[in-house]
Amino acid sequence: MALAHVIRRNQPRFGGERTGMLQQARLGGPMPWVIAIMIALTVMAAAAGLALSNLARNASAEIAGGITVQVIEAAPAERSRQAEVALSLLNNRDDIAEVRRVPDAELEGLIEPWLGEAAGTADDAIPIPALIDARLRGPVTERRIEALRAELIASVPSAKVDSQAGWLAPVFHAISSLQWLAIGLVVLLAATSAAAVWLAARSALGSNRDTIEIVHLLGGTDAQIARIFQRSIAVDALVGGIVGLLLGLVAILLLGRQFTALGSGMVAGGGLGLADWAAIGAIPLAGVLIAGLTARITVLAALRRML
Amino acid sequence: MSGSEGSIVQFDNVGLRYGTDREVLSDISFTLYPGSFYFLTGASGAGKTSLLRLLYLAQRPSRGMIRMFGSDVITLPRNGLPAFRRRIGTVFQDFRLVPHLSAFDNVALPLRVSQVPASEIRKPVADMLDWVGLGNRADARPATLSGGEQQRVAIARAVIARPEILVADEPTGNVDQEMGLKLLRLFEALNRLGTTVVVATHDVQLLKKVPDSLIMRLDKGRLSDPTGALRYPPRRPQRVEGVNG
């Protein structure tokens, strides 16, 4: 039995001694539950941040170098002719890596949910621009877009050229904001956990003050006393961390299933990789580290005020 | 302070006040030598407990100088105090047992603090509890012990680690005469082994039972010397000096 035996294990519990008491009281106090909730929220925030990061990275890679040429012409025959000219021009350029005309059937499929099945084929149908997807070699700059636009317009007067990244810029800005929000939440939750541990350690110090003074007068060092609190808090944090991790994982899996059911190509890029899962699994350990360190600093600071 | 070589404790013009109140101890100067036995007497409120608190390093004085074991403990950084405290055994007036520990664990506490291996703790603690007549109450918590039994546990805890100085505040106040005498014999036995003993008491009968002892009398926070023993020490202990009041 170590010196830990000395510090009373109640209101709130700190210090470890008899195994029976530990098992009986382990989840009895509020600390492990507070930490469990904090860890669960941290796990969810971190998972969201990582998923958003993956989503942004995958989407960026997918649309890197991407441009869209629209041929906006009301007459179907002329539209088709100009589209073929544009396709031929693009195919002959060295700086174009990939080019593809979006088939009419695919376009009709895209607008069908809004305009109905016959929207694109009926005689009085709303004219739909012809679309050409192309991928430039190297980065897409406004200057290159402008040069391409000038060349196309000369032969295809109804052509309109846009960078795909430009369309999605607001989406990426929103994703970036959400990522920062997730990072902020993780930091706030870590700070809140540390504050909760600080309060619990102060409270335990108060309720064990007499015992601590006796141990001091018998020659106990600050480090010996702090170690008892630190170890006990770390055990509480570990128990809370594991419970929190499980709660967080359940939430992530449920949310993941919901997002997968959306069937959106962009959302599908927001899955979590092995490294992400490893990072999420390390959150309870980080919690234990923060809790132990906070307890140690708090206890040592309080003890320094005693003789 | 000249002539204090070989002393174990040296107080020089020590004063103590709590907050902004008047001094509870004033101009306290004395020297204790290893292997001596002292009684500290005085009326209630004379400052006995305050003086003992300075001796067992629970308090720093407001002024003056204290040397213990050859070091100035006033300027000693607080992380240096534990090593000194381990050389001092203390019997507190209110026992100060740890309420949630058994009698055995309370007595074992100084050994555990000093990181004595567990295998070397059981026997001496059990022997000590036997000696103070509590061998059959080793597992009892303080709340289930009588006042006298608690006092004996407190004394056992104070002496278990063979301290160089034993400081006892009214150690026989809650025990019957027979046990009081037995505890006094324990203190004497420790004293013969070289422990310097300081016993605070208001029981004048007790003073007569240790013939070689010296008496330090506190009166309203000042140290007096009613028997002259502090000024003219007997052969054993070798010397006590530095008197005021």
Side-chain angles (χ1 to χ4, degrees):
Chain A
M1 185 176 57
L3 186 59
H5 191 90
V6 173
I7 303 296
R8 186 170 47 195
R9 296 193 45 77
N10 52 24
Q11 37 143 2
R13 297 167 306 95
F14 278 111
E17 72 206 90
R18 297 181 175 92
T19 314
M21 282 183 78
L22 270 173
Q23 282 173 345
Q24 190 182 4
R26 190 79 267 154
L27 286 171
M31 266 307 292
W33 291 109
V34 170
I35 290 174
I37 292 166
M38 294 296 177
I39 295 289
L41 292 172
T42 307
V43 162
M44 285 187 261
L50 290 168
L52 286 168
S53 169
N54 291 343
L55 187 148
R57 191 170 48 246
N58 290 337
S60 297
E62 211 168 281
I63 61 170
I67 57 165
T68 301
V69 178
Q70 297 178 72
V71 179
I72 306 168
E73 172 57 53
E78 176 60 13
R79 181 167 68 231
S80 186
R81 188 194 67 79
Q82 287 196 28
E84 286 307 314
V85 174
L87 200 60
S88 162
L89 272 171
L90 290 170
N91 269 326
N92 289 331
R93 285 181 68 101
D94 292 338
D95 60 346
I96 299 289
E98 213 180 301
V99 65
R100 172 184 87 101
R101 181 172 175 187
V102 180
D104 289 344
E106 195 176 320
L107 284 176
E108 283 157 16
L110 285 171
I111 61 169
E112 183 260 320
W114 290 274
L115 302 177
E117 280 180 19
T121 51
D123 291 340
D124 57 348
I126 299 167
I128 303 167
L131 281 187
I132 297 168
D133 264 351
R135 194 163 302 280
L136 284 172
R137 294 183 208 280
V140 179
T141 61
E142 197 50 46
R143 202 170 159 186
R144 290 182 72 189
I145 295 281
E146 199 50 54
L148 188 63
R149 192 174 286 138
E151 188 183 331
L152 277 173
I153 293 287
S155 317
V156 186
S158 307
K160 184 171 183 291
V161 183
D162 290 298
S163 151
Q164 288 173 4
W167 289 358
L168 288 173
V171 177
F172 284 124
H173 285 145
I175 289 173
S176 173
S177 302
L178 287 172
Q179 275 180 274
W180 281 109
L181 182 68
I183 291 168
L185 277 175
V186 169
V187 172
L188 275 177
L189 287 165
T192 310
S193 301
V197 170
W198 178 74
L199 285 173
R202 301 262 312 164
S203 167
L205 269 169
S207 58
N208 285 290
R209 193 172 191 83
D210 288 345
T211 304
I212 289 167
E213 198 177 322
I214 294 167
V215 173
H216 254 158
L217 290 176
L218 295 177
T221 62
D222 289 356
Q224 281 177 312
I225 295 167
R227 205 158 35 238
I228 299 165
F229 283 83
Q230 191 180 354
R231 195 175 301 156
S232 180
I233 270 276
V235 171
D236 279 355
L238 188 63
V239 172
I242 291 168
V243 173
L245 178 66
L246 292 175
L247 290 174
L249 287 178
V250 168
I252 292 170
L253 292 175
L254 289 175
L255 282 170
R257 282 172 62 176
Q258 298 286 322
F259 279 106
T260 308
L262 286 178
S264 158
M266 192 168 185
V267 171
L272 295 172
L274 200 63
D276 301 323
W277 287 115
I280 288 169
I283 288 173
L285 298 178
V288 170
L289 203 68
I290 290 172
L293 207 61
T294 306
R296 184 175 179 80
I297 292 167
T298 308
V299 172
L300 284 178
L303 290 176
R304 267 196 288 275
R305 285 193 285 275
M306 298 181 183
L307 182 59
Chain B
M1 245 161 83
S2 62
S4 59
E5 290 82 11
S7 66
I8 195 163
V9 175
Q10 192 183 343
F11 275 48
D12 188 14
N13 279 315
V14 167
L16 174 67
R17 70 171 79 241
Y18 297 107
T20 54
D21 288 351
R22 66 176 180 79
E23 282 192 328
V24 292
L25 293 173
S26 296
D27 304 326
I28 304 289
S29 297
F30 63 85
T31 303
L32 307 183
Y33 286 91
S36 24
F37 198 119
Y38 300 87
F39 280 110
L40 178 63
T41 67
S44 269
K48 296 193 294 291
T49 299
S50 292
L51 180 54
L52 293 188
R53 279 176 63 80
L54 293 174
L55 266 177
Y56 58 72
L57 301 174
Q59 185 84 43
R60 289 200 202 261
S62 313
R63 64 182 173 88
M65 190 274 291
I66 299 176
R67 289 181 73 82
M68 293 181 90
F69 310 111
S71 297
D72 179 357
V73 293
I74 305 296
T75 54
L76 191 72
R78 62 180 295 285
N79 61 6
L81 290 174
F84 282 79
R85 286 173 176 149
R86 288 177 192 182
R87 299 166 77 176
I88 304 166
T90 308
V91 183
F92 302 99
Q93 191 171 18
D94 53 356
F95 320 138
R96 307 200 72 175
L97 300 177
V98 180
H100 59 286
L101 295 186
S102 66
F104 182 95
D105 290 330
N106 265 289
V107 175
L109 198 49
L111 300 178
R112 292 199 169 110
V113 163
S114 300
Q115 293 169 321
V116 172
S119 59
E120 294 171 29
I121 287 178
R122 180 153 292 280
K123 190 173 180 326
V125 173
D127 288 349
M128 183 57 72
L129 281 170
D130 279 340
W131 203 90
V132 294
L134 291 172
N136 59 343
R137 306 297 315 268
D139 293 329
R141 300 282 172 107
T144 65
L145 298 171
S146 69
E149 287 173 328
Q150 288 185 40
Q151 192 149 31
R152 281 182 274 160
V153 173
I155 289 167
R157 184 180 67 183
V159 302
I160 187 73
R162 288 279 309 278
E164 290 170 60
I165 303 175
L166 176 68
V167 179
D169 198 354
E170 303 283 0
T172 56
N174 283 285
V175 293
D176 58 38
Q177 203 175 6
E178 190 188 349
M179 181 50 72
L181 207 58
K182 196 176 172 186
L183 293 174
L184 210 55
R185 295 291 163 255
L186 169 65
F187 292 168
E188 280 188 286
L190 273 170
N191 181 231
R192 278 194 295 275
L193 289 169
T195 298
T196 303
V197 179
V198 181
V199 175
T201 184
H202 61 268
D203 181 358
V204 287
Q205 296 304 315
L206 209 61
L207 311 185
K208 297 173 186 166
K209 288 173 182 152
V210 186
D212 286 342
S213 63
L214 294 169
I215 298 169
M216 302 161 76
R217 182 172 170 76
L218 270 174
D219 187 19
K220 293 178 184 169
R222 288 178 180 270
L223 197 62
S224 62
D225 186 15
T227 64
L230 291 172
R231 277 168 294 183
Y232 309 107
R235 282 191 303 277
R236 182 185 172 277
Q238 300 89 337
R239 188 168 48 178
V240 176
E241 65 172 31
V243 184
N244 70 50

